[in-house]
Amino acid sequence: MSSEESVPAEAVAEVTRDIAEVPAVEVITSAAVHLMSAAAVKCGLAEDSPEQLAAELQDLDEARKLITALAGLVTGAATVIGDHHARPLRDGLRSLQLAFREASDIPDKPGQGPGEKFTGPVR
């Protein structure tokens, strides 16, 4: 095996060691934060920039998918990550669900909004 072939294997081993050292709660919260950030942008909550308005980035179909995925992650993980970590994630999720309702021209029925099959109706 040449040294060129061993470099990718060494890189994979290093990444695997790095991942192994990260506690599960950090991986879960990091994934949730990424989903929250993407959902916020898709709800039109990004800051306007000189090049683009936040409203131009709004895509409620995409936001619905992201919020639903976030709701599944947060509700599924809440019992294992502890209330200390789950509470801020639930608060962020609820804020996104409310922002989605506010941004939507056609309101969902109670319990039919993004992620509400996991969280229950959001008001």
Side-chain angles (χ1 to χ4, degrees), residues 1 12 21-22 34 54 62 66 76-78 84 89 100 108 118 120:
M1 176 151 89
V12 169
E21 294 173 8
V22 178
H34 286 292
E62 291 290 301
L66 291 162
H84 173 73
L89 297 178
F100 181 93
D108 292 314
F118 298 110

Side-chain angles (χ1 to χ4, degrees), residues 6-73:
S6 66
V7 172
E10 291 172 8
V12 169
E14 184 177 332
V15 168
T16 302
R17 280 191 302 275
D18 290 346
I19 291 172
E21 294 173 8
V22 178
V25 69
E26 288 185 32
V27 174
I28 293 166
T29 55
S30 177
V33 168
H34 286 292
L35 288 167
M36 282 183 188
S37 298
V41 169
K42 298 296 184 176
C43 281
L45 300 176
E47 290 189 28
D48 292 335
S49 71
E51 298 83 31
Q52 194 164 38
L53 299 175
E56 295 171 354
L57 301 173
Q58 186 180 58
D59 183 338
L60 294 181
D61 182 53
E62 291 290 301
R64 180 182 295 277
K65 294 170 189 169
L66 291 162
I67 294 169
T68 300
L70 175 63
L73 175 62

